[in-house]
Amino acid sequence: MPKPSQASELRALPAVDVNSQTARAFIGIRELLLHGAFARGERISELPLVARLGMSRTPIRLALERLAHIGLLDAGATSGFTVREFALREVLDAIELRGVLEGTAARLAAERLSGEAGLDALRRYCDDMEALDGLTIHTFARYMDLNGSFHLRILDMAGSEMLRRALQQVNSLPFASPSAMVFPTSILPRSGETLAIALEHHRALVEAIARRQSTRAESVGREHAYLARRVLEVALSNTDALRRVPGGSLIDLSRR
Amino acid sequence: MPKPSQASELRALPAVDVNSQTARAFIGIRELLLHGAFARGERISELPLVARLGMSRTPIRLALERLAHIGLLDAGATSGFTVREFALREVLDAIELRGVLEGTAARLAAERLSGEAGLDALRRYCDDMEALDGLTIHTFARYMDLNGSFHLRILDMAGSEMLRRALQQVNSLPFASPSAMVFPTSILPRSGETLAIALEHHRALVEAIARRQSTRAESVGREHAYLARRVLEVALSNTDALRRVPGGSLIDLSRR
DNA sequence: TCACCGCGAGTTGCATGCAAGGTGCGGCGG
DNA sequence: CCGCCGCACCTTGCATGCAACTCGCGGTGA
């Protein structure tokens, strides 16, 4: 069963169990962080959040710990947490690392290929994405969903739990995640061309995996991530686009 | 200043602040896990640990959470933690992933090389390792230290915080960490040859980085990790060696 | 006027109490 | 005798209280 579409403003964030206070705290604080409710480097203390989130310190503590672990907060040496700030260079590095890992996923998928089920699924995702025919304000959320499913499927086919964890870790930085750099044409004018290139990458990935061309699969997987890098470089000069990047306020543009 | 040698029985484990109950709980439970105090898949409940570690549930809870995050425990869907068990395949995948990441570190170090300081340090580590001249019971701890410093230095030269975190994550699985698969000759007879190959890899890495041969650096970095894989395959048929691998009891050898 | 010391507020680490949920066992009924 | 239901204990999630620590400010003395 395919995952339900999660096309909210803060999409591309992994869903978590909502039935515990800790999970709600995690989601709530993450949302605050990504919406720029705190300044970069600001110290986060627990008591204000108690008032803001309406729960006791215990779940808030746990949530802060988790946020520190996924890299959105810094755990100070002595104690306490501060809002992590990212130099632009770190964002670019994160995208590069995602490329390496997705390339590895594609390579392993090619090396370990067995059966047609995975390939068929990938081809269907490709077809669906091509059927969208452009990134309008209405279709781009759907595209992000399909795109996410496509890459998840490759990850499945790679069959490496460790790789899955590593990629999850990288993608937990919102602006490095695969769908963070997708904008409708109305925001970034040249999205159409970018989309075409992305779709070509997808086709090439499927073909390479199908033919067990593992080196080609790895190369294309890497190159595909560089696309996000290029989109980011364009978006940097576009305030509208930059504002839409989740967690964009955590990026320190003045620091290379 | 070089890091102090940490050649205890459970070396190769990142040091943590010992001044907090949580840190002590983390270390204590990790030690229990790696020494096989629990069966694979066993459920870990908090109260027994309260008695065993002499502290309240709060720090134990936090420590369990952290252990789950680094992958030594499974956080059950509903609640509670169980001891993670690793199929042999996952261990091999972890080593493969480490190869990918260390290859990437070497590539980035080559691409971003500036100045001679890093290279000089690497060369010194190489000299020191070669000066050991064999892996006796007395020298192999020192070798692991030097080896760890060498790879850390390359990671520094890569200059990617994201990459550092990813590698740290992989290395937190004790049997995948770079020094887990180093045995003195008295345990694994052919360690001498393996050591020679490792030293050659190190030299090749330094040379490739120095000449900015980034592709070569990446390849050698990957291949270097495969050495651990081969040592593991030999060690699998050697009970003595296997017992020395930290966390070896968590590996389910019957499951591929 | 400047420097140092001490106190106080704020903050975190930890312990513990309480309630809710789950699981297993025993008893009861068929 | 077997199966099912209910109760009780075990376990965890969360709240809260307490103590220690830090940082900063103000007062006092040189």
Side-chain angles (χ1 to χ4, degrees), chain A residues 33 39-45 68 71-76 79-85:
Chain A
L33 282 170
R40 292 191 297 270
E42 181 180 346
R43 174 159 193 167
I44 302 289
S45 51
L72 282 181
L73 293 179
D74 261 336
S79 75
F81 299 94
T82 54
V83 178
R84 173 88 181 270
E85 58 185 333

Side-chain angles (χ1 to χ4, degrees), chain A residues 58 61-62 65, chain B residues 19-29 46 49-50 53-67 73 81:
Chain A
T58 307
R61 235 183 135 51
L62 281 170
E65 182 100 2
Chain B
N19 299 324
S20 80
Q21 297 284 67
T22 303
R24 270 195 294 276
F26 179 81
I27 295 175
I29 301 172
E46 300 167 4
L49 290 173
V50 168
L53 298 177
M55 59 187 71
S56 87
R57 283 175 48 218
T58 307
I60 288 177
R61 236 185 134 51
L62 280 170
L64 291 176
E65 182 99 2
R66 290 190 197 171
L67 287 165
L73 293 178
F81 299 94

